[in-house]
């Protein structure tokens, strides 16, 4: 087991800066997720740690060893890829045994370790089958087995579940998480799926354009996003953003979105005034933090329903704000026809306010 430290890591491909001065530390036994949109540098970061790419700057430590100059096979890491290509002509047993045979381990030890891993992954009955005789989830477990059997110090996983159908993916999430906790192997896991990141991670590094935008525990990213990027990336449906100008009068702050005048409660006003508010901000409110009702709400606003999206356990209600759609999440069913007038209110204690210019959170 080992911690992983990345210091000021930098990597470019020609003109493209793929990893832009990234630093983080993964604690011993921790499940760290790198999360971000396509092309933000997640895979490159992972490949640098594995030794499959050479950095243009920075340092990588595994345990207490600087590994920059070590070849992949000496880094004691195992990587699981999105395309976990098993050897089709080999049975499950031989697929898992393969990395140990390369290392020329004694036959008895190979057998013991393959069976141990198969038991752990609950694929003991599958050892005699060929990959084509397995379901996607079973194949994925075999691929994990092949990585696990080496007993690496660090697990690197690049979107290992993305080839599975939605239902199996959710199931395997829980399986993988349990397994990682049980084995306590330091893991760095790459995904662009925020729900996957939120449910699995001890901590998440949210990346954009080669940089880390925020690194924190899932609940911190959700409740205290450091900037507009993180606020918009975490949570589904995404946080609503309304541009607003700031009016301060007698220490009280009112935001004007052009449609709504939002009087902020004292607690938010104080923070904003103390920060010396910019004239233009972005008001952020999650769909679950807007109350909706068919009868007037004190301090609320009347809006026109654009469309409702019933999901069974909840209903997403959309209304227009200028040419923008605002989404409201209502627990349970909510019947309304397009054009119907309803009332909404913002749960302002849950609101976020960002500096429009820098994108950084003020509240
Ligand atoms: N071998 C390469 N040659 C040239 N450019 C590359 C190479 N590998 C990656 N890049 C570029 O570096 C940037 C980061 O790529 P990377 O694969 O790390 O992104 P990612 O976050 O894993 O994206 P995805 O979610 O799509 O897998 C991208 O702009 C990509 O085009
Ligand atoms: Mg990738």
């Amino acid at each position: 087991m080992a911690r992983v430290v990345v210091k000021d890591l930098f990597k470019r491909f020609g003109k493209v800066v793929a990893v832009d001065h990234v630093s983080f530390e993964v604690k011993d036994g921790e499940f760290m997720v790198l999360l971000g949109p396509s092309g933000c540098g997640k895979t490159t970061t992972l490949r640098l740690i594995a030794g499959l790419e050479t950095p243009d700057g920075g340092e990588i430590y595994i345990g207490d060893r600087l590994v920059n100059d070590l070849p992949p096979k000496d880094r004691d890491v195992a990587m699981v890829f999105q395309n976990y290509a098993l050897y089709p002509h080999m049975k499950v047993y031989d697929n898992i045994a393969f990395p140990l045979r390369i290392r020329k381990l004694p036959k008895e030890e190979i057998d013991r370790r393959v069976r141990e891993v198969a038991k752990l992954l609950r694929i003991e009955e599958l050892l005699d089958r060929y990959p084509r005789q397995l379901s996607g989830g079973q194949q994925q477990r075999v691929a994990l087995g092949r990585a696990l059997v080496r007993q690496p110090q660090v697990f690197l996983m690049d979107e290992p579940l993305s080839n599975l159908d939605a239902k199996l993916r959710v199931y395997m999430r829980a399986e993988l998480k349990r397994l990682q906790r049980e084995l306590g192997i330091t893991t760095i896991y790459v995904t662009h799926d925020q729900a996957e990141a939120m449910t699995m991670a001890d901590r998440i590094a949210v990346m954009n354009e080669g940089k880390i935008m925020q690194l924190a525990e899932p609940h911190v990213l959700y409740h205290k996003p450091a900037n507009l990027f993180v606020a918009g990336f975490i949570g589904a449906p995404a946080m609503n953003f309304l541009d607003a100008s700031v009016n301060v009068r007698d220490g009280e702050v009112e935001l004007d979105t052009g449609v709504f005048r939002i009087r902020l409660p004292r607690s938010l006003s104080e923070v904003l005034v103390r920060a010396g508010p910019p004239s233009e901000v972005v008001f952020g409110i999650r769909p679950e933090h807007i109350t909706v009702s068919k009868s007037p709400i004190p301090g609320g606003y009347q809006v026109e329903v654009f469309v409702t999206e019933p999901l069974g356990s909840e209903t997403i209600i959309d209304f227009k704000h200028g040419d923008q759609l605002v989404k409201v999440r209502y627990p349970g069913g909510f019947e309304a026809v397009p054009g119907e007038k309803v009332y909404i209110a913002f749960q302002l204690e849950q609101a976020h306010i960002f500096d429009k210019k820098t994108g950084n959170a003020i509240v």
Side-chain angles (χ1 to χ4, degrees):
M1 248 66 68
R3 63 187 190 131
V4 176
V5 178
V6 166
K7 274 190 193 157
D8 208 23
L9 199 59
F10 188 80
K11 175 71 181 175
R12 63 161 81 230
F13 297 103
K15 283 199 189 115
V16 178
V17 174
V19 179
D20 197 359
H21 300 287
V22 161
S23 301
F24 59 83
E25 176 178 342
V26 188
K27 297 184 199 114
D28 188 10
E30 191 175 21
F31 197 121
M32 170 76 87
V33 171
L34 305 182
L35 171 70
S38 186
C40 73
K42 306 180 296 291
T43 296
T44 308
T45 304
L46 215 58
R47 288 173 58 83
L48 286 163
I49 296 169
L52 303 171
E53 301 280 359
T54 313
D56 296 316
E59 291 158 9
I60 301 163
Y61 295 87
I62 296 175
D64 294 318
R65 281 192 310 172
L66 179 67
V67 298
N68 282 46
D69 298 322
L70 282 186
K73 67 174 175 50
D74 296 332
R75 294 194 182 192
D76 210 3
V77 302
M79 193 149 167
V80 182
F81 298 93
Q82 175 178 351
N83 305 312
Y84 39 82
L86 299 172
Y87 304 108
H89 57 286
M90 284 186 198
K91 289 187 170 171
V92 167
Y93 183 99
D94 301 306
N95 263 284
I96 298 176
F98 189 76
L100 303 182
R101 291 202 175 120
I102 292 183
R103 284 172 179 71
K104 304 209 182 337
L105 263 61
K107 208 166 171 241
E108 301 73 46
E109 185 172 356
I110 293 179
D111 189 61
R112 185 179 56 77
R113 276 165 66 170
V114 169
R115 291 188 188 283
E116 216 172 77
V117 164
K119 189 168 171 205
L120 188 71
L121 292 166
R122 286 179 276 148
I123 49 174
E124 292 154 290
E125 313 76 47
L126 308 177
L127 289 172
D128 272 334
R129 292 206 206 162
Y130 287 97
R132 64 170 182 280
Q133 299 169 313
L134 304 177
S135 72
Q138 290 169 333
Q139 288 185 31
Q140 183 56 280
R141 258 180 269 169
V142 176
L144 283 173
R146 197 170 57 181
L148 271 177
V149 79
R150 287 173 43 199
Q151 304 174 346
Q153 291 211 63
V154 178
F155 246 151
L156 304 175
M157 303 198 192
D158 194 354
E159 314 229 9
L161 305 184
S162 59
N163 279 352
L164 306 178
D165 68 48
K167 202 169 167 194
L168 190 54
R169 201 156 59 221
V170 171
Y171 175 76
M172 284 299 291
R173 256 188 217 164
E175 288 272 294
L176 247 182
K177 182 172 170 176
R178 181 192 58 90
L179 192 68
Q180 193 273 342
R181 295 283 192 287
E182 221 167 278
L183 299 172
I185 297 182
T186 311
T187 300
I188 307 178
Y189 185 102
V190 161
T191 182
H192 61 261
D193 180 339
Q194 60 94 25
E196 201 169 291
M198 291 293 279
T199 51
M200 294 175 87
D202 290 320
R203 288 188 302 156
I204 302 173
V206 182
M207 292 183 70
N208 187 35
E209 295 179 350
K211 294 190 181 70
I212 293 184
M213 306 303 288
Q214 188 174 6
L215 195 166
E217 291 160 348
H219 68 93
V220 175
L221 296 179
Y222 179 83
H223 291 289
K224 296 228 165 288
N227 47 59
L228 278 171
F229 183 84
V230 173
F233 205 80
I234 300 282
M239 187 185 290
N240 299 294
F241 293 128
L242 306 178
D243 287 350
S245 53
V246 179
N247 303 307
V248 185
R249 219 175 304 122
D250 302 332
E252 294 214 13
V253 179
E254 189 185 76
L255 303 183
D256 186 353
T257 72
V259 177
F260 303 127
R261 282 162 180 258
I262 305 168
R263 217 53 189 270
L264 294 185
R266 185 179 296 251
S267 54
L268 295 195
S269 286
E270 277 173 2
V271 179
L272 212 59
V273 168
R274 220 179 301 133
S279 55
E280 300 294 320
V281 295
V282 176
F283 175 77
I285 187 96
R286 294 199 183 276
E288 51 272 46
H289 297 146
I290 304 177
T291 309
V292 60
S293 167
K294 296 218 170 182
S295 41
I297 310 173
Y301 310 89
Q302 191 184 51
V303 298
E304 217 172 75
V305 172
F306 183 73
V307 71
T308 57
E309 307 169 58
L311 294 168
S313 65
E314 61 186 29
T315 308
I316 308 298
I317 301 145
D318 296 33
F319 68 87
K320 282 238 169 173
H321 178 274
D323 50 13
Q324 188 183 354
L325 276 182
V326 173
K327 288 184 186 281
V328 180
R329 194 171 191 165
Y330 182 84
F334 191 94
E335 305 261 334
V337 291
E340 189 172 330
K341 304 259 194 293
V342 297
Y343 298 87
I344 60 134
F346 300 120
Q347 296 167 26
L348 291 171
E349 301 294 339
Q350 310 281 354
H352 302 263
I353 295 166
F354 305 90
D355 185 328
K356 189 172 178 195
K357 216 179 274 161
T358 63
N360 290 332
I362 308 171
V363 175

